[in-house]
Amino acid sequence: MKQEHAARRNLLSIYDLSPDEMLAIIDSADRFEELSRRSIKKAPALRGKTVINLFLEPSTRTRTSFEIAGKRLSADVINVSDTSSSTKKGESLKDTVLTLDVMQADVIVVRHGSSGSAQFVSRYVNASVINAGDGMHEHPTQALLDCATIKRNCATIAGLKVAIIGDIAHSRVARSNIGALTRLGAEVHVAGPLTLMPADVASLGVRHHLRVEHALEGADVVMVLRLQKERQESGLIPNLREYARHFGVNRNRIALAKPSAIVMHPGPMNRGVEIEPEVADGDQSVIKQQVEMGVAVRMALLYWIMNASDPLTN
Ligand code: CP
């Protein structure tokens, strides 16, 4: 039976956080990054707490960084995947999380292919729930780490022109980033094939461009989205070569952005499709920094979710 925990904190959507809360988590990530650079990367803040990473969809960056983040804060971290759990035998998501919850998990981090799955899980468990990507819906911790990376490089977020290029309609990264960036005062411009643009794009508070060049002109930040290759199989794009020709971020196109612009990609990348290798690996790329910030921001988030107050000392 689920008990009511008035003080329980969840992160199911980026809209669960106010702009002040987003900035507080982003800004506190610096302290956690400093801890990660020590020779002994460990603080006792979450000692005795149990974090379960329930990843029922593939992940490299998010799963690994949540595991590292929990361990660096001394939590006990358990990973559950679809291939090694009883979901493979047909156990439902509800029965899976009810089972994990009675093991006294404090936090359940959920990645699942269905939109709304994190919200669904939160209805049945006493643990705090963090959405690590649910279908096409949201990826709020990606938005937090992206905002932290932007703030690190550009000093501020308010007033920046951020161009998001690619498959906006199916991208949980785009949805969460739009929610974070617009509320932090950035001017968000989007471009991509019309077949990959949400019908209600104007209602998202962004400016939509038919040509990628127009979105890139004078941009401070260029965020390139992964092209999900199944979109070609479902007929939403003609082929990958055509996509790269019209929407791929290459050296000529990136030259339209400000010389100081940073280039971001949440990963995994399709090199030569949505982004040219020279851009992904070029001087303006902060893609590796995004991964590093991912650990620090997820440490900051676990600390915030658990309402921890222990100092970050050994
Ligand atoms: N950006 C992101 O969510 O990457 P993973 O799928 O590797 O976790």
Side-chain angles (χ1 to χ4, degrees):
M1 174 76 68
K2 183 175 180 309
Q3 298 150 20
E4 280 315 314
H5 284 255
R8 180 180 71 151
R9 288 177 164 174
N10 293 322
L11 181 61
L12 307 178
S13 158
I14 198 68
Y15 293 94
D16 290 341
L17 298 174
S18 68
D20 283 347
E21 285 172 323
M22 284 192 279
L23 287 174
I25 292 167
I26 290 166
D27 291 342
S28 72
D30 287 349
R31 291 193 300 144
F32 295 94
E33 191 186 21
E34 186 274 318
L35 190 150
S36 290
R37 289 171 186 254
R38 292 183 200 163
S39 59
I40 297 173
K41 307 169 180 60
K42 202 87 169 172
L46 298 188
R47 191 167 46 200
K49 302 294 181 191
T50 301
V51 176
I52 299 186
N53 285 329
L54 175 62
F55 275 62
L56 301 179
E57 208 191 40
S59 166
T60 298
R61 281 147 282 267
T62 314
R63 195 201 60 74
T64 310
S65 59
F66 265 115
E67 181 173 357
I68 291 172
K71 287 181 172 170
R72 287 195 181 155
L73 294 176
S74 304
D76 297 310
V77 182
I78 290 91
N79 295 309
V80 180
S81 74
D82 58 342
T83 49
S84 62
S85 69
S86 288
T87 57
K88 187 96 176 151
K89 300 180 208 159
E91 187 166 43
S92 69
L93 178 60
K94 179 179 169 183
D95 283 337
T96 300
V97 297
L98 286 173
T99 301
L100 298 177
D101 199 49
V102 290
M103 295 179 188
Q104 305 303 326
D106 294 289
V107 183
I108 301 180
V109 182
V110 189
R111 170 165 293 193
H112 194 281
S114 298
S115 300
S117 48
Q119 175 82 44
F120 175 86
V121 169
S122 75
R123 298 212 311 257
Y124 295 106
V125 300
N126 293 299
S128 288
V129 177
I130 299 176
N131 181 359
D134 63 329
M136 298 187 295
H137 178 227
E138 280 222 40
H139 195 347
T141 64
Q142 181 72 43
L144 288 174
L145 77 88
D146 287 342
C147 287
T149 307
I150 293 171
K151 200 151 180 275
R152 168 70 57 87
N153 286 280
C154 306
T156 182
I157 293 174
L160 295 181
K161 176 175 178 178
V162 181
I164 306 182
I165 309 297
D167 180 359
I168 309 293
H170 302 95
S171 173
R172 58 195 179 202
V173 173
R175 203 172 312 282
S176 290
N177 261 305
I178 288 169
L181 290 163
T182 54
R183 287 185 303 138
L184 292 174
E187 192 184 284
V188 179
H189 295 242
V190 299
L194 269 179
T195 49
L196 301 180
M197 209 44 73
D200 61 345
V201 63
S203 71
L204 300 176
V206 302
R207 283 197 54 194
H208 171 225
H209 301 272
L210 294 173
R211 288 179 59 88
V212 67
E213 288 80 3
H214 295 160
L216 291 173
E217 267 167 23
D220 299 283
V221 176
V222 178
M223 201 176 274
V224 187
L225 300 175
R226 181 171 75 90
L227 181 72
Q228 298 171 34
K229 289 184 177 161
E230 59 271 28
R231 304 299 162 224
Q232 188 189 342
E233 284 146 34
S234 56
L236 291 173
I237 56 164
N239 59 56
L240 299 182
R241 196 154 6 108
E242 278 295 291
Y243 183 88
R245 196 153 74 84
H246 293 290
F247 299 100
V249 175
N250 54 33
R251 275 169 300 178
N252 290 339
R253 289 194 172 123
I254 211 68
L256 297 167
K258 284 188 182 156
S260 60
I262 57 170
V263 177
M264 308 178 75
H265 191 302
M269 287 185 274
N270 298 301
R271 289 171 178 266
V273 181
E274 71 265 10
I275 190 164
E276 231 184 37
E278 288 84 348
V279 175
D281 302 324
D283 291 343
Q284 289 169 277
S285 170
V286 295
I287 294 169
K288 285 187 191 156
Q289 228 184 81
Q290 286 174 268
V291 177
E292 190 176 7
M293 289 307 290
V295 175
V297 165
R298 287 172 177 128
M299 288 170 80
L301 178 67
L302 286 173
Y303 194 85
W304 179 83
I305 284 271
M306 286 282 86
N307 226 342
S309 55
D310 291 14
L312 299 180
T313 50
N314 289 310

